[in-house]
């Protein structure tokens, strides 16, 4: 058994309610203390000491363990909340099998664990932990430190290392060569394949009728849940559709396994592989020119992943031209039109997309951003809540809701600290759901800074700069934070960096807002130059 001592004591809400399920996909069940009966776990269900949770095949869940700790639970994982080992200690989590991704911003303190083959303490904040049926343990440490020990020996892991403990053997460690592959099950993969490109026969369309109806409506989780089980998949089309719905819950390995049975000339297979590369930040050699809507959709995300927004929008429009009834293609166009500040075009495309795909979570999240840009905060919150209800694994929806909560908490003449804390919690969920997106880290860092939590703010902004050094957002916020800390030279350096990267800003920011960013950066530079005694340069910057 694996025991992790996880703090529920930092949040009064957590003390009162325990661990909360904030999002789930597929079959997630709980059994209450002392009961052998399993029941479907609803969102917002609370787990107390003695309760158990398990995820089924192709299922995932996200748990808020404390005010600043979130856990993502992989498929086929079983765990139980155990009482403290001693009086006054924290409750423990027993991970019987499976894997979890742990994201914590709690105060630095050790997390004790035990397995049949090792014991030790984790002082990390982000790690992937996997326990096999025989107790073998693998810990991929993305940030922090961990001590591993057993009767055969001990070792200490640092950020970017992976530890392995097998029965009867001393712990070993090695460099974590590809962190993205370890946590790829956590990442979000949007809808790119249009059913028209699958080439399903009329018989196959009837077989998948319920699943396809959900898929066409934009309900990816429903499409997988309604996918018929026990089929003998023999055609390229059935393998391709199965791979498509598997990828919707982050099951990259199963998706790629299905694609091995698909013809090398399959447009759907090419689209899915290109999407995987885009989400994981990889590059593909010898990209072929897209010929289908699915390929154009994947190319749109690939272009955006490499900072080419104009090309991404052109690709999305080509997807619409190829498949005008594919709602996700229209919503993709709306997303990118909004990034260029063309609000009317974005609203028109979004309206058409949601008419075709009324359960598309991306569409509702975009509606939330459009409403937020118009300062319609209540309506924006409703839209973000709808997006989360449709697909709780969508980071953009949690980001948007968190930002609106924080904005609402800073009303004229009053500050609602509870609202700000709730907003930060949403931003942390967003970062847990998509831990490789630098923008999510930047916003979380800015939120910590606004809450005068400068240590956590520096940490988050530093991670954002590592993930994407070409995104100006983290450099802007880091500059302002350094200025508050009286680190003027660092503030100037970061702000200059942010200015030079201004046009790279690509997430929900129009050209007009980019110009505003330039003005904000220029004004702050003038102030910082003045404070370090460079009066002439300050005047020049202010005039500019």
């Amino acid at each position: 058994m694996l025991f992790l001592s996880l703090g529920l004591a930092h949040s009064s809400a957590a003390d009162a309610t325990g661990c909360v399920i904030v999002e789930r996909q597929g079959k997630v069940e709980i059994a209450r203390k002392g009961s052998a009966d399993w029941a479907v776990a609803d969102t917002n269900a609370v787990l107390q000491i003695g309760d158990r949770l398990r995820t089924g095949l192709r299922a995932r869940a996200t748990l808020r363990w404390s005010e600043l700790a979130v856990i993502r639970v992989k498929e086929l994982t079983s765990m139980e909340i155990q009482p403290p080992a001693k009086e006054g200690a924290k409750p423990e989590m027993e991970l019987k099998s499976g894997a979890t991704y742990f994201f914590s911003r709690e105060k630095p303190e050790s997390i004790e664990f035990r397995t049949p083959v090792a014991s030790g303490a984790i002082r990390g904040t982000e790690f992937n932990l996997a326990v096999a049926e025989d107790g073998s343990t693998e810990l991929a440490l993305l940030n922090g430190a961990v001590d591993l020990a057993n009767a055969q020996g001990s070792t200490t892991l640092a950020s970017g290392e992976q530890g392995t403990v097998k029965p009867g053997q001393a712990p070993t460690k090695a460099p974590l060569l590809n962190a993205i592959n370890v946590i790829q099950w956590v990442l979000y993969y949007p809808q790119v394949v249009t059913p028209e490109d699958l080439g399903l026969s009329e018989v196959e369309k009837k077989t998948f009728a319920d699943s396809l109806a959900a898929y066409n409506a934009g309900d990816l989780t429903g499409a997988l849940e309604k996918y018929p089980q026990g089929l003998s998949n023999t055609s390229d089309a059935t393998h391709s559709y199965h791979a498509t719905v598997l990828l919707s819950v982050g099951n990259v390995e199963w998706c790629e396994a299905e694609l091995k049975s698909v013809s090398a000339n399959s447009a759907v297979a090419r689209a899915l592989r290109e999407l995987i590369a885009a989400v994981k930040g990889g590059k593909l050699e010898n990209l072929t020119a897209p010929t289908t809507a699915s390929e154009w959709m994947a190319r749109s995300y690939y272009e955006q992943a490499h900072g080419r927004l104009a090309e991404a929008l052109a690709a999305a429009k080509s997807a619409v031209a190829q498949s005008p009834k594919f709602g996700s293609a229209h919503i993709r166009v709306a997303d990118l039109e909004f990034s260029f500040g063309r609000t009317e075009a974005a609203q028109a495309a979004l309206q058409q997309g949601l008419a075709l795909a009324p359960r598309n979570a991306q569409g509702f999240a975009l509606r939330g951003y459009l409403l937020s840009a118009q300062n319609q905060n209540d309506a924006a919150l409703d839209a973000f809540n709808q997006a989360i209800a449709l697909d709780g694994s969508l980071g953009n929806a949690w980001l948007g809701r968190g930002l609106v909560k924080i904005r609402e908490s800073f009303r004229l003449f009053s500050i609602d600290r509870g609202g700000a804390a709730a907003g930060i919690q949403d931003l942390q969920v967003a970062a847990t759901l998509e831990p490789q997106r630098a923008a999510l880290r930047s916003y979380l860092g800015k939120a910590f800074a606004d809450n005068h939590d400068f240590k956590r703010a520096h940490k988050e902004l530093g991670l954002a700069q590592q993930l994407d050094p070409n995104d100006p957002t983290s450099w802007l916020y880091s500059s302002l934070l350094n200025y508050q800390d009286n680190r003027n030279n660092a503030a100037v350096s970061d702000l200059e960096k942010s200015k030079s990267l201004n046009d790279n800003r690509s997430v929900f920011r129009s050209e007009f807002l980019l110009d505003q960013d330039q003005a904000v950066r220029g004004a702050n530079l003038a102030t910082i130059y003045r404070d370090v005694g460079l009066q002439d340069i300050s005047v020049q910057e202010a005039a500019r």
Side-chain angles (χ1 to χ4, degrees), residues 47-323:
L47 298 176
Q48 304 283 5
I49 290 175
D51 293 343
R52 291 167 288 157
L53 178 141
R54 68 183 182 188
T55 55
L57 186 65
R58 305 165 192 164
R60 294 184 295 184
T62 304
L63 315 177
R64 176 172 290 117
W65 205 263
S66 70
E67 184 178 10
L68 292 171
V70 179
I71 298 176
R72 199 86 194 274
V73 183
K74 195 177 181 180
E75 65 175 348
L76 300 176
T77 295
S78 177
M79 64 174 61
E80 181 174 345
I81 298 181
Q82 293 283 8
K86 58 183 179 180
E87 186 177 355
K90 298 175 182 178
E92 298 174 339
M93 183 180 71
E94 177 186 344
L95 183 61
K96 298 181 178 180
S97 61
T100 61
Y101 178 78
F102 188 75
F103 187 113
S104 174
R105 293 297 180 261
E106 291 287 7
K107 294 179 181 179
E109 57 188 56
S110 295
I111 300 173
E112 301 294 332
F113 72 90
R114 298 192 304 273
T115 77
V117 296
S119 64
I122 295 174
R123 300 187 300 277
T125 53
E126 292 182 56
F127 56 87
N128 192 85
L129 186 64
V131 178
E133 293 295 336
D134 66 351
S136 296
T137 301
E138 287 192 353
L139 192 150
L141 193 63
L142 281 74
N143 188 271
V146 59
D147 300 321
L148 283 174
N150 62 10
Q152 287 75 38
S154 64
T155 189
T156 298
L157 305 178
S159 299
E161 293 184 328
Q162 179 167 302
T164 301
V165 188
K166 295 184 179 298
Q169 299 180 21
T172 61
K173 69 176 181 179
L176 182 57
L177 298 178
N178 196 329
I180 302 298
N181 281 344
V182 173
I183 64 170
Q184 64 182 356
W185 64 273
V186 179
L187 308 180
Y188 188 87
Y189 298 85
Q191 184 180 29
V192 299
V193 173
T194 174
E196 297 173 5
D197 293 340
L198 292 168
L200 294 167
S201 68
E202 292 304 317
V203 172
E204 289 168 339
K205 289 178 183 178
K206 291 181 180 179
T207 301
F208 299 124
D210 291 342
S211 179
L212 283 169
Y215 186 84
N216 283 321
D219 182 3
L220 303 184
T221 301
L224 181 59
E225 290 177 348
K226 295 174 181 177
Y227 185 90
Q229 300 300 312
L231 293 178
S232 298
N233 296 332
T234 55
S235 71
D236 274 9
T238 54
H239 283 297
S240 295
Y241 184 56
H242 197 203
T244 297
V245 293
L246 285 170
L247 189 60
S248 68
V249 294
N251 206 321
V252 182
E253 293 177 358
W254 286 55
C255 170
E256 291 176 331
E258 284 286 352
L259 293 180
K260 290 179 180 178
S261 300
V262 177
S263 168
N265 296 321
S266 167
V268 170
R270 287 196 297 270
L272 291 176
R273 290 190 177 106
E274 189 166 337
L275 176 64
I276 292 170
V279 171
K280 293 168 63 175
K283 291 187 177 181
L284 297 176
E285 301 294 334
N286 302 320
L287 285 175
T288 59
T291 58
T292 64
S294 300
E295 290 173 289
W296 280 118
M297 281 288 286
R299 183 61 50 86
S300 176
Y301 284 103
Y302 188 84
E303 294 287 6
Q304 183 180 13
H306 293 86
R308 299 184 288 267
L309 284 188
E311 291 83 352
L313 176 56
K317 288 182 175 180
S318 294
V320 169
Q322 290 270 356
S323 184

Side-chain angles (χ1 to χ4, degrees), residues 314-507:
K317 288 182 175 180
S318 294
V320 169
Q322 290 270 356
S323 184
K325 293 184 179 180
F326 188 35
S328 287
H330 291 277
I331 292 169
R332 177 65 176 153
V333 169
D335 179 355
L336 291 164
E337 290 283 16
F338 186 40
S339 74
F340 285 103
R342 297 188 279 265
T343 304
E344 291 185 4
Q347 289 175 331
L350 178 61
Q351 183 177 356
Q352 191 167 4
L354 285 177
L356 293 166
R359 294 183 59 79
N360 187 295
Q362 293 268 17
F364 280 97
L366 179 55
R367 176 181 286 176
Y369 284 102
L370 284 163
L371 291 166
S372 177
Q374 300 166 6
N375 291 318
Q376 298 183 42
N377 291 341
D378 290 342
L381 278 176
D382 287 342
F384 289 127
N385 284 331
Q386 286 178 283
I388 291 170
L390 290 168
D391 188 349
S393 66
L394 179 59
N396 276 342
W398 290 93
L399 169 66
R401 192 175 78 170
L403 292 175
V404 172
K405 285 180 179 179
I406 291 171
R407 177 193 292 178
E408 285 286 276
S409 71
F410 289 93
R411 290 182 177 276
L412 190 63
F413 303 126
S414 66
I415 299 177
D416 176 12
R417 291 297 179 190
I424 290 174
Q425 288 182 0
D426 278 358
L427 297 188
Q428 187 169 351
V429 171
T432 306
L433 294 172
E434 301 187 53
Q436 293 303 303
R437 283 185 56 192
L440 301 181
R441 306 292 186 128
S442 294
Y443 282 117
L444 181 57
K446 178 62 163 56
F448 281 136
D450 287 343
N451 207 39
H452 303 290
D453 189 345
F454 300 134
K455 184 175 181 180
R456 291 191 178 96
H458 277 298
K459 178 183 181 68
E460 224 59 58
L461 294 172
L463 289 170
Q465 290 162 5
Q466 292 176 29
L467 290 169
D468 187 357
N470 292 319
D471 185 347
T473 311
S474 58
W475 298 102
L476 170 62
Y477 293 158
S478 177
S479 172
L480 300 179
L481 194 56
N482 282 327
Y483 180 60
Q484 287 179 290
D485 288 345
N486 295 315
R487 300 169 60 192
N488 291 336
N489 290 335
V492 169
S493 176
D494 286 353
L495 201 48
E496 289 280 15
K497 179 80 170 180
S498 180
K499 283 192 67 178
S500 70
L501 297 171
N502 189 69
D503 289 341
N504 291 344
R505 190 67 173 83
S506 61
V507 182

